[in-house]
Amino acid sequence: MSKKIAILPGDGIGVEIVAEAVKVLEHLKGDGLDLELVEAPVGGAGYDAAGKPLPDETLALVKEADSILLGAVGGPQYEKLPRELRPERGLLGLRSELGLFANLRPAILYPQLADASSLKPEVVAGLDIMIVRELTGGIYFGEPRGIREKANGEREGFNTLVYSESEVDRIARVAFDIAMKRGKRLCSVDKANVLEVSELWREVVERVGEEYQGVELSHMYVDNAAMQLVKWPKQFDVMVTKNMFGDILSDAAAMLTGSIGMLPSASLDANSKGMYEPIHGSAPDIAGKGIANPLATILSVAMMLRYSLDEPVLADKIDTAVGRVLDKGLRTPDIMSAGCKQIGTVEMGDAVMAELV
Ligand code: IPM
Ligand code: MG
């Protein structure tokens, strides 16, 4: 049965890098995978095309699609728009409308790119962490929120950090299941020394943990987790945390590898329908120059094959192809190092295609 894949390039370099990932998807079609690719605008491109960051037609498409490939959203030309029209709202709308509550953000150091990290090689060699970030709750979506005027005329901004037991329970289960398939260690990150919401979070994670006796569960405060990530990241296997903490820690973890241009991500609903995207943003500063690294987006296709389309063999094929391209010393500028050959976005896509035999 044909699978419908929604292709949402978005803004900035999103357009260029998604084009390379689409080449890979087209190749997979030739390989016997029955895919239908349908493109639609989102983010700033959605605003330009239909006056809002998540146009109705795009929303209808992603709802009926089996899987979604997203580039990136955002750009300086949209920063002055009212909040509800900004590109980021398109992304948040996709997450909440589709119930994509589980965000998987791996931080893997490719041995070929060990030089790219700003940390000492012995600290990061072999690094392989999976951050599981709750994506549809917490302070990003909590109500009430807003900017209001106090009695004395001064304005104050406010947001609400709220998690129900069921929200914590389901993200904890995703994290424990992933830990079971990896190193069987899970660190839950919270701020239980200050926040009641974290106290409950910790209690629920403990409770779910009783059903996963094979997994070693630990807890860490978020400030310490940030420090430990930089100090000795290899102590972590799987980390699970709230929406905002996950936003911050996943950027830090990604940079440990020195190459955010290499890291894919998956955002999954309760039935493993997923949206796949590179961890990096739309990089307006290099957009249109043909130098962006398409590998994170191509590796996002591999994640799609693994988590949503049940095609692990094809996923491995893509991962292997990327490894071979790196072995050959081919590099986009963001991962360039001495003795390697610098190439652009399209050449990098072509190089992966050439290895996909
Ligand atoms: C991310 C991004 C988004 C987030 C922004 C663009 C809304 O930083 O996916 O990590 O904060 O979730
Ligand atoms: Mg972020």
Side-chain angles (χ1 to χ4, degrees):
M1 207 180 66
S2 174
K3 301 268 183 179
K4 187 176 257 189
I5 313 293
I7 306 288
L8 313 182
D11 309 317
I13 60 168
V15 179
E16 300 157 64
I17 55 181
V18 164
E20 299 313 304
V22 164
K23 282 202 252 181
V24 171
L25 282 166
E26 292 286 354
H27 174 90
L28 295 174
K29 278 167 71 174
D31 238 11
L33 201 59
D34 194 0
L35 299 178
E36 185 195 352
L37 311 182
V38 187
E39 195 175 312
V42 75
Y47 174 77
D48 291 339
K52 48 184 179 175
L54 181 50
D56 300 342
E57 280 180 25
T58 302
L59 184 57
L61 168 67
V62 295
K63 282 195 168 159
E64 62 168 23
D66 295 286
S67 244
I68 300 134
L69 182 70
L70 176 75
V73 299
Q77 68 271 47
Y78 306 111
E79 273 164 19
K80 295 248 151 53
L81 287 173
R83 187 165 293 276
E84 65 279 8
L85 294 180
R86 286 195 208 148
E88 292 74 15
R89 275 300 162 101
L91 182 59
L92 297 175
L94 284 169
R95 291 172 181 171
S96 63
E97 288 283 345
L98 298 174
L100 305 173
F101 69 92
N103 185 206
L104 278 39
R105 298 191 163 187
I108 296 168
L109 186 100
Y110 284 80
Q112 301 95 327
L113 302 181
D115 289 348
S117 178
S118 53
L119 276 79
K120 294 193 193 100
E122 66 267 29
V123 176
V124 289
L127 186 74
D128 181 358
I129 300 175
M130 177 68 90
I131 295 189
V132 179
R133 168 190 178 193
E134 199 292 325
L135 202 60
T136 51
I139 201 161
Y140 272 54
F141 293 94
E143 297 284 350
R145 61 191 294 156
I147 299 174
R148 65 190 165 203
E149 203 164 303
K150 299 198 291 179
N152 67 1
E154 188 192 2
R155 291 186 310 153
E156 64 182 4
F158 58 101
N159 287 88
T160 303
L161 173 48
V162 56
Y163 271 107
S164 63
E165 288 183 287
S166 57
E167 283 178 300
V168 182
D169 186 282
R170 65 180 183 177
I171 193 71
R173 282 177 199 281
V174 170
F176 276 109
D177 284 337
I178 290 175
M180 286 292 284
K181 292 190 196 135
R182 294 178 37 115
K184 298 195 167 50
R185 284 181 302 117
L186 176 64
C187 179
S188 172
V189 177
D190 62 36
K191 191 70 185 173
N193 50 344
V194 178
L195 305 174
E196 287 79 0
V197 55
S198 280
E199 214 178 289
L200 182 67
W201 172 284
R202 198 176 271 222
E203 196 188 304
V204 175
V205 172
E206 286 278 347
R207 197 164 68 206
V208 174
E210 281 164 20
E211 293 173 39
Y212 292 85
Q213 291 299 330
V215 177
E216 184 191 315
L217 172 66
S218 62
H219 302 276
M220 202 179 270
Y221 298 140
V222 63
D223 49 349
N224 187 28
M227 187 169 76
Q228 296 299 330
L229 262 180
V230 182
K231 185 179 172 204
W232 190 242
K234 283 189 269 184
Q235 69 187 279
F236 298 111
D237 175 20
V238 182
M239 302 172 94
V240 63
T241 192
K242 300 183 180 68
N243 203 341
M244 186 160 68
F245 295 165
D247 178 42
I248 299 165
L249 293 180
S250 63
D251 264 22
M255 237 325 141
L256 296 174
T257 70
S259 44
I260 199 165
M262 295 295 301
L263 300 175
S265 75
S267 305
L268 306 174
D269 76 359
N271 304 310
S272 290
K273 171 168 169 169
M275 181 164 82
Y276 298 83
E277 59 182 305
I279 280 184
H280 60 74
S282 57
D285 53 322
I286 59 163
K289 295 192 176 153
I291 57 172
N293 186 348
L295 292 178
T297 317
I298 290 172
L299 291 166
S300 297
V301 171
M303 273 190 112
M304 179 190 290
L305 291 164
R306 194 165 278 127
Y307 288 95
S308 288
L309 302 182
D310 199 21
E311 294 283 352
V313 175
L314 291 178
D316 284 347
K317 228 171 135 174
I318 294 178
D319 288 343
T320 306
V322 169
R324 289 210 194 110
V325 169
L326 295 176
D327 285 341
K328 282 186 167 168
L330 300 174
R331 304 280 189 271
T332 43
D334 57 306
I335 52 173
M336 183 61 191
S337 65
C340 292
K341 179 167 183 237
Q342 188 166 314
I343 57 173
T345 311
V346 174
E347 291 107 304
M348 187 55 102
D350 289 344
V352 174
M353 294 290 288
E355 297 296 340
L356 277 179
V357 279

